[in-house]
Amino acid sequence: MAPRARRPERREEPLTRQRIVEAAIDVLDTAGAGGLTFRVLAERLATGPGAIYWHVAGKDELLAAAAEAVLAEALAAGAAATTPDEAIRALALDVFDAIDAHPWIGTQLALAPTRAPMLGVFEHLGRQVQALGVSGSARFTAVSALLNYILGVGGQNAANARGVDPATDRTQFLGAVADTWARLDPDEYAFTRGMADQLREHDDREEFLAGIDLVLAGITTRLTTP
Amino acid sequence: MAPRARRPERREEPLTRQRIVEAAIDVLDTAGAGGLTFRVLAERLATGPGAIYWHVAGKDELLAAAAEAVLAEALAAGAAATTPDEAIRALALDVFDAIDAHPWIGTQLALAPTRAPMLGVFEHLGRQVQALGVSGSARFTAVSALLNYILGVGGQNAANARGVDPATDRTQFLGAVADTWARLDPDEYAFTRGMADQLREHDDREEFLAGIDLVLAGITTRLTTP
DNA sequence: ACCTGAACACCGTTCAAGT
DNA sequence: ACCTGAACACCGTTCAAGT
């Protein structure tokens, strides 16, 4: 989509909010949330740190704008779904996949979802819940449950990605956690120990979707009158 | 439990990991997550920043230890529940109330739950899910769904508490958000707009519990064979 | 209007020096 | 063994000065 080369980032084009946000996303994806610095960003944009402040209010806004841009793009696809259930599943998966591809969004959403991108998700979920046949006063509960679950998983994925270097394989990571679980005290942590092997083979995405289905089943059972 | 006076924090007693963690909790509760600094903490403990490092590895560990201490105390009560459903609700509420009383825990749990305190919650939830009659392979899904929902709400509460000064009344805060919602574009945000009034009167705690019940209903419907 | 880059106030962390 | 506090490396942010 970008007109010319993007990486070398020379001083040809003028500094724009959009270019700053794009560069920030690139840094975040490469170096993680901890690697985004106004100095690093300034160097990448061949300017001084102060210049960025003319286009962006501060770091919080920059982070929010970056998350918003990535999430908006992820949601733009918006495959046409046949049923409300399908639509909710598809939307949830879009959010999940976006966080999976850019773990730093997870932190952003889990901790500051008031802003624009999640409002769209809330709205979208609300309409589908309505289509599901949930009556007025219960809709808020249903949407909140779905959204909080999604954000919870998002925060988790972000947490798992932090500290670990981006090259770490997921299976490898899960294996390490599973090993820890397997070494727990057999009395105090009997249940968790027993889950170790299951954790090793589990598929995050499938597990996420299974959780969505659980909430959906609860909504259908408790909040609709067929 | 503390032998003498706690607040003046003079240089009588020796510096202990426990005293440091207690002081950190106090600072976090008073000044929020942004207010915890090694310099502030050192002054409160009448020592230099370096001294703290002899007892604690760094800020991350200190934050984790503080969250662990608060959560452990909150879970220690552990009222005896009659049914697995009740036990799960009670445990979830304990976590919710702990986060409500110390919002900074929400950030900590939502973003770094691998550590000890949440392992206990995982274990406890697992046993109750088992008692509910969920079979082996589905238990992990059920527990994950519950935990992710709880952590999602926790992150949300932490987010809402951040930036806002601690004195802000909850009703007041919800009112402000509701006002924003009421001003949204009627076409693009029809659903969200309609929720504004409901948000104004809603009770976070009740809403949280309603979400837990939704997940529980999903678990019962889909994952048990009565 | 927009950019530059030195400077400010602050942070987590280290470490030589003390006791 | 434990504490002290100056110092290091770094951060977000500001701002006088430029174009």
Side-chain angles (χ1 to χ4, degrees), chain A residues 123 127, chain B residues 185-195:
Chain A
E123 175 72 23
R127 293 183 183 206
Chain B
D185 180 274
D187 285 332
E188 204 179 350
Y189 291 102
F191 174 80
T192 308
R193 256 180 81 105
M195 288 292 123

Side-chain angles (χ1 to χ4, degrees), chain B residues 15 47 50-51 54-55:
Chain B
L15 205 53
T47 181
W54 202 91
H55 300 274

Side-chain angles (χ1 to χ4, degrees), chain B residues 74-82 86-87 90-91 94 124:
Chain B
L75 297 178
T82 50
E86 288 282 338
L91 182 63
D94 282 345
H124 197 106

Side-chain angles (χ1 to χ4, degrees), chain A residues 3-218:
Chain A
R4 296 275 153 63
R6 278 180 61 191
R7 283 311 172 80
E9 211 84 55
R10 307 239 174 262
R11 51 280 169 72
E12 309 146 7
E13 307 164 50
L15 204 56
T16 1
R17 188 184 157 90
Q18 191 187 328
R19 276 188 66 222
I20 293 171
V21 171
E22 280 171 7
I25 292 172
D26 227 63
V27 173
L28 286 163
D29 285 342
T30 311
L36 183 66
T37 284
F38 274 82
R39 270 162 255 254
V40 165
L41 204 54
E43 194 182 5
R44 238 180 141 305
L45 293 165
T47 182
I52 299 172
Y53 280 86
W54 203 92
H55 300 275
V56 157
K59 193 171 187 182
D60 283 349
E61 197 199 287
L62 180 57
L63 240 25
E68 187 171 334
V70 169
L71 194 57
E73 189 178 357
L75 296 178
T82 50
T83 66
D85 285 74
E86 288 281 337
I88 289 172
R89 262 188 284 264
L91 182 63
L93 272 183
D94 282 345
V95 176
F96 179 88
D97 288 337
I99 295 174
D100 193 51
H102 315 271
W104 50 272
I105 313 180
T107 316
Q108 201 56 26
L109 297 183
L111 259 52
T114 324
R115 293 202 41 97
M118 283 318 273
L119 251 193
V121 176
F122 186 85
E123 175 72 23
H124 197 107
L125 286 175
R127 293 183 183 206
Q128 299 306 328
V129 162
Q130 195 167 347
L132 223 44
V134 177
S135 64
S137 70
R139 281 177 202 151
F140 188 86
T141 303
V143 176
S144 293
L146 285 166
L147 201 56
N148 279 315
Y149 171 73
I150 294 170
L151 293 173
V153 175
Q156 238 50 18
N157 282 13
N160 293 345
R162 279 199 324 169
V164 188
D165 85 302
T168 313
D169 178 47
R170 175 121 62 183
T171 320
Q172 198 176 326
F173 173 78
L174 288 177
V177 177
D179 287 346
T180 311
W181 286 13
R183 268 187 251 102
L184 289 170
D185 180 274
D187 285 331
E188 204 179 349
Y189 291 103
F191 174 80
T192 308
R193 255 180 81 105
M195 288 291 122
D197 286 342
Q198 200 161 328
L199 180 70
R200 232 180 285 273
E201 309 164 4
H202 105 151
D203 179 331
D204 278 0
R205 215 177 109 107
E206 265 180 37
E207 207 68 60
F208 169 72
L209 207 51
I212 290 284
D213 283 347
L214 236 39
V215 182
L216 279 175

